[in-house]
Amino acid sequence: MKNLLIFTISVFLSLMVGAQTKYEDSLRLESTIDWLEDKLTYNYYNENDDEWWINRFTFNKGSESVTIKNIASPHLEAVTDKTYLQLNFRLQELNPYTIQIAENENNAGRLVKGKTIRIGAYNKSIKRVKNGRLSNNQSFLYLSIPHFFEDSLQNYTETIGLRLEEAIRLSTRIYNQSHQQNMASIQSMLAGKFTEPSGNTWIIDEIFNKTFEVSVVSASDDLLAKHFVQLGDELIVNSITGEGMSQFALSTSDAPEMTYTSKELTILFRNTNEFIWTIGSTPVILVRDWREEYLEAKYR
């Protein structure tokens, strides 16, 4: 119930953010990245292990990826006896709906007393390198925020979590372009499993080139509806529900966000992991499904 509440609140907040142009969003993203690089670059001490830790958050503009480095040493100026942990990922690979903040009462390696931010990633896409050796990719990351930050600034960790969520959203946003470019964007992002706040699941498969089958399944595994989405000179949707079969021919709007609409159906593609399907006046918010598969302690 708690996770569903967090999901619902996050979706509501995302809807409150007004549509911006690609240029405006790029400026916001650059500003947010600069802020994160500043706030997530710091040193801290683990008194139980008698070790200093250096945390570095760096955005690589060329590859549009993030590198987080955690370096442990007996003292800050040490040249030897260092331990290096490096995580590499793209912001687009993180799931903003999985951001969680927890109190940490113990010191354990790089996770010290204070608060911990935990973020999940799609498809185990976070590359992990320890002491120069590439190890298994992981499906989540942790950021340790020592207690002295919380002592000096109220809601420090929560603010970092919000700015991380903003950066992820901005990096995944889809913009209205030419029809051909829009069709390519939809084809690249549409397949997968998406979840409603209600618990219903939309399973989307590309059964033929540019033709997608959409199965809407309830939390109790009942088939609620079938849709077939065809990408071409138009965006065509054939829907089969308990009320019968309907066909919709959708055309693009002039909105900054990529939106296809007809008299009865509107599909708003907010980003590569989220879209809104509106029949009449009833919006259905769909977010790409993410499931935790590995024990949290494995990659600490």
Side-chain angles (χ1 to χ4, degrees):
M1 181 64 69
K2 181 180 179 182
N3 288 339
L4 178 59
L5 178 62
I6 293 171
F7 177 91
T8 305
I9 292 172
S10 296
V11 169
F12 175 76
L13 290 175
S14 76
L15 290 174
M16 297 297 290
V17 179
Q20 303 288 326
T21 66
K22 186 174 183 179
Y23 175 72
E24 290 170 327
D25 281 345
S26 69
L27 294 179
R28 285 177 59 197
L29 178 59
E30 184 176 354
S31 174
T32 302
I33 291 292
D34 288 344
W35 189 93
L36 288 170
E37 285 185 320
D38 179 58
K39 301 303 180 185
L40 291 175
T41 297
Y42 50 82
N43 308 322
Y44 58 99
Y45 181 63
N46 183 329
E47 59 186 17
N48 287 46
D49 297 339
D50 192 24
E51 280 186 325
W52 280 94
W53 282 89
I54 302 171
N55 192 88
R56 296 289 182 269
F57 180 101
T58 305
F59 182 73
N60 313 297
K61 291 185 178 180
S63 59
E64 295 187 344
S65 63
V66 173
T67 297
I68 294 179
K69 290 183 180 179
N70 294 123
I71 305 171
S73 62
H75 52 86
L76 285 176
E77 295 79 17
V79 177
T80 59
D81 299 325
K82 288 186 175 183
T83 300
Y84 294 86
L85 174 65
Q86 181 170 305
L87 304 176
N88 296 289
F89 55 90
R90 301 179 71 205
L91 288 170
Q92 295 93 320
E93 295 163 340
L94 301 182
N95 184 345
Y97 293 104
T98 63
I99 296 177
Q100 297 177 350
I101 296 172
E103 296 281 350
N104 192 21
E105 303 295 337
N106 302 302
N107 293 316
R110 65 188 178 90
L111 302 185
V112 297
K113 293 178 182 179
K115 291 185 178 179
T116 301
I117 302 174
R118 183 187 186 283
I119 311 171
Y122 294 104
N123 301 322
K124 293 183 67 178
S125 53
I126 300 174
K127 297 177 177 61
R128 173 186 171 93
V129 177
K130 188 170 184 179
N131 293 332
R133 290 190 173 186
L134 184 66
S135 59
N136 293 337
N137 287 7
Q138 59 191 64
S139 56
F140 51 86
L141 62 88
Y142 289 99
L143 296 170
S144 183
I145 310 299
H147 66 82
F148 60 81
F149 285 118
E150 291 292 330
D151 291 342
S152 59
L153 293 169
Q154 189 176 17
N155 298 324
Y156 186 84
T157 305
E158 287 73 12
T159 302
I160 291 175
L162 289 172
R163 298 303 289 269
L164 282 167
E165 180 178 352
E166 180 182 26
I168 296 167
R169 290 188 188 282
L170 289 171
S171 68
T172 57
R173 185 158 290 175
I174 296 177
Y175 302 92
N176 195 19
Q177 302 181 79
S178 70
H179 177 73
Q180 185 176 5
Q181 290 173 308
N182 288 349
M183 291 297 99
S185 295
I186 295 172
Q187 186 176 14
S188 68
M189 63 79 66
L190 195 57
K193 188 182 292 186
F194 293 79
T195 305
E196 301 178 35
S198 67
N200 293 341
T201 299
W202 294 45
I203 302 168
I204 305 177
D205 294 308
E206 189 171 8
I207 54 175
F208 304 110
N209 184 38
K210 298 183 180 181
T211 299
F212 293 83
E213 179 186 61
V214 182
S215 301
V216 183
V217 182
S218 72
S220 56
D221 291 330
D222 296 320
L223 181 64
L224 303 177
K226 279 270 190 182
H227 307 288
F228 294 89
V229 180
Q230 296 174 286
L231 311 179
D233 294 335
E234 292 183 291
L235 194 159
I236 304 295
V237 176
N238 291 286
S239 296
I240 305 171
T241 66
E243 299 177 356
M245 182 172 177
S246 304
Q247 184 177 79
F248 309 97
L250 288 77
S251 56
T252 187
S253 73
D254 295 328
E257 291 181 302
M258 189 167 66
T259 306
Y260 276 81
T261 186
S262 69
K263 185 176 179 181
E264 301 88 1
L265 173 65
T266 297
I267 307 176
L268 165 61
F269 297 92
R270 292 186 61 83
N271 57 59
T272 56
N273 297 313
E274 178 183 343
F275 65 97
I276 302 171
W277 180 287
T278 302
I279 288 282
S281 59
T282 305
V284 177
I285 303 161
L286 296 155
V287 176
R288 192 177 302 279
D289 188 75
W290 180 90
R291 291 291 185 267
E292 179 179 305
E293 299 176 357
Y294 302 92
L295 294 175
E296 294 185 359
K298 184 173 181 180
Y299 294 107
R300 289 191 177 183

